[in-house]
Amino acid sequence: MSQALEVVVQQVHLPAGMAGPGEISFDVRSFVLPVTDGIVLIDTGLAGNVEDIGRGLENVGAGWSDVSDVVLTHSHPDHVGGLEDVLSRTTGVAVWAGDGEAAAMGVGGEIQRASDGQLIRGLRVVSTPGHTQGHISLLLENEGLMFVGDAVGAMDGTMVRPPAPFTADPAEAERSLWKIATMSPGRMVFSHGGELQDPGSLLRALLSGSAAGS
């Protein structure tokens, strides 16, 4: 199914002082994933992104009525800001988030708990806290494809940790990276940055560098 995976990219701009001394710009990605009996939308991007998601659905031959599930990796606004707009266009969709995340999202409606090891439409929930308390990743087991959210990102052809100002518990986040490395997914897709070749080796290099104090 991942051949039909549609990546929805939105640009984010942060003023100086919010994530460091200078102004920064980066992308944030949502994912439209066709499954056997529906469409899973992974994250919803910033508010105002809904038309881009709609085009992503069209690109896989689907519409809003086909969306069966929305899975939110965590509660930061660049990942859940578009949720209300998505819900206004869908009917009967199941919304999932990790433990402790729903209360931080500030949206109406019931958000179901996505617990570690649970299967959602063929996606295995992997608890990867640290960036936020209830951050989750998702593994499409039959293809070895992992959606890692903000557990780790990509920049200039390599893997990077998310900015420290946005990471709630750096020690827990590091344990989650080791957990992902142990699972050895064949592919990783990031909420920030494009897909990289041989992600397992790159992640091990990132972790080994940390262990060596670099």
Side-chain angles (χ1 to χ4, degrees):
M1 286 292 176
S2 65
Q3 291 89 346
L5 175 67
E6 182 72 16
V7 183
V8 180
V9 183
Q10 185 179 21
Q11 295 299 316
V12 182
H13 305 282
L14 296 181
M18 182 170 290
E23 179 181 354
I24 64 171
S25 298
F26 54 91
D27 65 40
V28 61
R29 294 166 183 244
S30 304
F31 303 95
V32 176
L33 178 67
V35 293
T36 301
D37 48 357
I39 296 284
V40 178
L41 176 61
I42 300 172
D43 287 342
T44 61
L46 288 162
N49 188 39
V50 70
E51 297 305 328
D52 291 334
I53 294 174
R55 284 189 288 272
L57 289 167
E58 291 175 3
N59 288 344
V60 298
W64 289 108
S65 62
D66 298 303
V67 178
S68 54
D69 301 79
V70 175
V71 186
L72 304 167
T73 60
H74 63 293
S75 57
H76 285 170
D78 55 334
H79 297 262
V80 303
L83 179 58
E84 288 189 345
D85 285 339
V86 167
L87 293 179
S88 73
R89 288 162 170 77
T90 56
T91 303
V93 66
V95 182
W96 306 85
D99 295 344
E101 294 295 290
M105 293 179 187
V107 299
E110 182 178 352
I111 297 180
Q112 301 184 55
R113 179 182 298 179
S115 301
D116 189 49
Q118 180 177 352
L119 270 177
I120 301 173
R121 308 275 182 178
L123 289 159
R124 181 75 64 183
V125 176
V126 181
S127 178
T128 48
H131 185 64
T132 64
Q133 176 185 353
H135 186 285
I136 59 172
S137 301
L138 300 159
L139 178 63
L140 190 62
E141 290 188 310
N142 64 344
E143 301 191 19
L145 170 63
M146 180 172 277
F147 300 83
V148 296
D150 274 9
V152 67
M155 181 181 294
D156 298 329
T158 191
M159 285 192 192
V160 295
R161 293 174 178 84
F166 299 129
T167 298
D169 187 334
E172 190 71 27
E174 201 72 2
R175 286 190 287 271
S176 290
L177 288 183
W178 282 104
K179 180 178 182 179
I180 292 171
T182 301
M183 298 178 73
S184 300
R187 292 175 60 195
M188 296 182 199
V189 288
F190 311 96
S191 292
H192 301 290
E195 189 172 348
L196 301 172
Q197 295 296 315
D198 197 8
S201 294
L202 291 173
L203 180 54
R204 288 189 294 272
L206 178 68
L207 291 166
S208 296
S210 173
S214 61

